[in-house]
Amino acid sequence: MSVTANWSARTRVVDVLWHSLSTTDSHLLVLQANGTVKLYDVSEDADTPEQTVSLFSAASAGGAGFAMSQAVSFCMGSSVSAGWSRATLYVLTNTGQLYSLCPVLPRRCILDLEWLEDLLETVEMDVREWQAEEYETSECIYTPPELVDARAAAKWLGQVLKLDSSKASERLYLTLPASLVQPAAAQGPYLFQPEPMPASAGDYDSDSSDASSNVGANVHAADCDPDDACSVQYMESTSGLGVGLVAIAYCDAHVEVFADLEPVIGKWADTSARGMHMRDMPVLATLASIDLTVKPLVSADQANDNRQIGPVALMADSLSPTVFYALHSHGVHRVDMRRWTRLLERAIGLSSDSGRSAALEQLVFALDGRRASPTEQSGRGALVRSCVQCVVHTNPSASRPSIPVVGAVVVDDVYLSYSLLALVEPNQLIGISLPLSTDPAVEQDDEEEDGVDKPLA
């Protein structure tokens, strides 16, 4: 597979993933450091990309080498999302900037009919709403950029639905013409509100038996600066019905979690140029900061607190939408956010704007007590913490070199049960059993009785 003929530090491949909406399960997305995204159908041509999209303009990406922002990681939105995120690609740079491209679809794709019809209904409502803001002067017609986007999205969705006029099945197996696979416009960089605060130890609960992944000198820490962002993962607070969650990992052993309260909409390069200067930057709501450091196994190393574990790779769980994994040079952490995602959904579901804002503010303070004084903390109630466990430990002592985890997969199989398989250098496979998720109905009943989330068993 040939990604680039002229290899350089700016064109090197930094991330790859399979496209979840491919009809043939053969479409591979490739991200290069210069922000170029290439989509290959490896079943037809492994050398020539089917589509190519450039995240950065030629002016911002050319000639500056590593002094410029570089793409380091990308992910697709949830495949069960009710919104546009299902067809959205999120791209992260080493400076922590997040961009999105929507829609990104292979030419041979499988789409849910109900999903397309719901999107069309939503954008048609947006068109009617924003038409009231359009007006004509003696010199020109002013069209809000939101109306331009909504009209373009409605036109695109209508054309996609016409490709299968029979609509005999709930799932449409489509071959998109060239006119419907035009390059998406980059949206971003996203604004993080409020600004994330530095992580500190003790921002989560962990069992005393959990092992630390953050001990001793790390030969891989030089691969990235401690302030660098290195991985991004998109999740849903609950399957198909919840709020989008974006997790961003940093090389200093912490992860920031954001809520996607202003979901993206499809935007194309040929329409986004008009009124671009008037467009507001998309916003993500800062929710929680998760520290990946706990006490080391070896008592003699308890005082050693080196936060530089090097690059961290995030991976979603195949069963629970609110669980993800952090892979790094000292092991694997499992992060379970179910304790507070239900509170987030309750806050979002409030009908009053003022009540929703107040509930979200209270949740942010409950998730991160560092934003409030001790007096304010006591007035707002107990802190709500994610459950973090080091499930694979590869560096028990500072006197031993770290053994990086280079890959992992969550298995949900009748023979292997619910398990995690982690590949450790050099070519050692580690398998562990994972706890099954608690019945959501039981959890909800418990919450309604007590008024708060109960700790996980």
Side-chain angles (χ1 to χ4, degrees):
M1 184 173 180
S2 176
V3 177
T4 177
N6 300 312
W7 188 93
S8 69
R10 294 290 297 176
T11 59
R12 76 186 192 281
V13 174
V14 295
D15 206 353
V16 296
L17 60 85
W18 293 104
H19 202 299
S20 60
L21 300 179
S22 170
T23 302
T24 55
D25 292 329
S26 61
H27 285 85
L28 186 68
L29 286 158
V30 177
L31 175 66
Q32 295 175 253
N34 62 3
T36 300
V37 177
K38 296 182 178 181
L39 177 61
Y40 293 84
D41 185 351
V42 297
S43 66
E44 291 192 350
D45 191 339
D47 293 324
T48 304
E50 180 181 287
Q51 301 175 44
T52 300
V53 181
S54 295
L55 182 67
F56 307 127
S57 65
S60 64
F66 284 97
M68 298 296 293
S69 178
Q70 303 174 70
V72 294
S73 176
F74 67 168
C75 68
M76 289 294 299
S78 171
S79 60
V80 295
S81 170
W84 283 91
S85 64
R86 185 181 301 196
T88 301
L89 193 67
Y90 296 88
V91 183
L92 179 70
T93 71
N94 63 318
T95 57
Q97 292 182 323
L98 184 68
Y99 297 83
S100 61
L101 296 166
C102 176
V104 177
L105 291 172
R107 295 195 64 176
R108 292 186 294 171
C109 57
I110 178 171
L111 304 175
D112 290 338
L113 175 61
E114 183 179 4
W115 175 69
L116 290 170
E117 292 177 337
D118 288 345
L119 287 182
L120 181 59
E121 181 180 355
T122 300
V123 296
E124 286 179 342
M125 291 176 59
D126 292 339
V127 169
R128 292 192 292 270
E129 177 183 349
W130 285 105
Q131 276 180 337
E133 304 295 328
E134 187 178 34
Y135 60 88
E136 182 177 359
T137 67
S138 57
E139 299 180 352
C140 64
I141 297 178
Y142 170 74
T143 303
E146 294 85 357
L147 180 57
V148 174
D149 296 335
R151 284 173 172 169
K155 179 181 178 181
W156 183 86
L157 289 166
Q159 292 175 341
V160 171
L161 285 167
K162 288 180 181 178
L163 295 177
D164 188 342
S165 57
S166 65
K167 299 181 177 60
S169 173
E170 295 182 355
R171 308 204 76 184
L172 307 180
Y173 293 82
L174 305 175
T175 299
L176 303 179
S179 60
L180 295 181
V181 288
Q182 295 298 314
Q187 303 180 47
Y190 280 72
L191 300 178
F192 303 142
Q193 296 181 348
E195 189 71 18
M197 298 181 67
S200 62
D203 287 340
Y204 58 89
D205 290 347
S206 61
D207 298 332
S208 59
S209 59
D210 289 346
S212 172
S213 71
N214 184 38
V215 292
N218 177 19
V219 295
H220 298 273
D223 293 345
C224 68
D225 187 272
D227 294 330
D228 281 356
C230 50
S231 184
V232 62
Q233 183 64 52
Y234 189 95
M235 298 159 286
E236 290 274 334
S237 57
T238 57
S239 296
L241 301 175
V243 179
L245 300 174
V246 178
I248 297 178
Y250 294 81
C251 290
D252 66 349
H254 89 280
V255 178
E256 296 289 345
V257 181
F258 306 90
D260 187 13
L261 301 182
E262 300 177 6
V264 298
I265 186 174
K267 294 184 182 180
W268 292 263
D270 58 345
T271 60
S272 62
R274 289 185 291 170
M276 180 60 72
H277 63 285
M278 297 179 290
R279 298 174 189 266
D280 294 331
M281 292 295 98
V283 177
L284 291 177
T286 304
L287 290 181
S289 183
I290 298 171
D291 197 321
L292 300 179
T293 61
V294 292
K295 294 180 179 180
L297 281 178
V298 181
S299 59
D301 295 328
Q302 295 288 330
N304 196 325
D305 186 22
N306 179 1
R307 296 183 55 83
Q308 298 184 26
I309 65 174
V312 177
L314 300 180
M315 181 184 71
D317 188 272
S318 59
L319 286 185
S320 175
T322 57
V323 173
F324 67 91
Y325 301 85
L327 287 60
H328 43 76
S329 62
H330 291 164
V332 179
H333 276 83
R334 184 176 189 267
V335 181
D336 191 334
M337 304 177 291
R338 285 176 293 170
R339 292 183 180 179
W340 55 265
T341 51
R342 291 188 178 279
L343 300 179
L344 173 63
E345 291 178 359
R346 291 178 185 176
I348 298 298
L350 295 176
S351 57
S352 168
D353 290 341
S354 59
R356 188 184 308 112
S357 298
L360 286 173
E361 181 183 2
Q362 184 176 5
L363 177 60
V364 169
F365 275 93
L367 285 168
D368 192 351
R370 295 167 299 170
R371 297 188 182 275
S373 66
T375 303
E376 292 174 321
Q377 290 181 28
S378 62
R380 294 175 184 267
L383 296 180
V384 182
R385 306 183 189 275
S386 299
C387 181
V388 180
Q389 297 173 299
C390 186
V391 293
V392 175
H393 186 278
T394 61
N395 189 215
S397 172
S399 61
R400 299 181 181 179
S402 59
I403 307 174
V405 175
V406 296
V409 63
V410 175
V411 179
D412 175 24
D413 182 83
V414 64
Y415 298 106
L416 298 177
S417 187
Y418 179 39
S419 308
L420 175 73
L421 297 178
L423 180 62
V424 180
E425 289 187 352
N427 302 325
Q428 179 183 358
L429 190 63
I430 298 175
I432 61 169
S433 298
L434 297 173
L436 291 173
S437 300
T438 305
D439 185 356
V442 175
E443 286 186 348
Q444 188 170 8
D445 291 340
D446 291 341
E447 292 168 10
E448 291 174 350
E449 288 180 8
D450 300 337
V452 297
D453 284 348
K454 288 187 176 181
L456 297 176

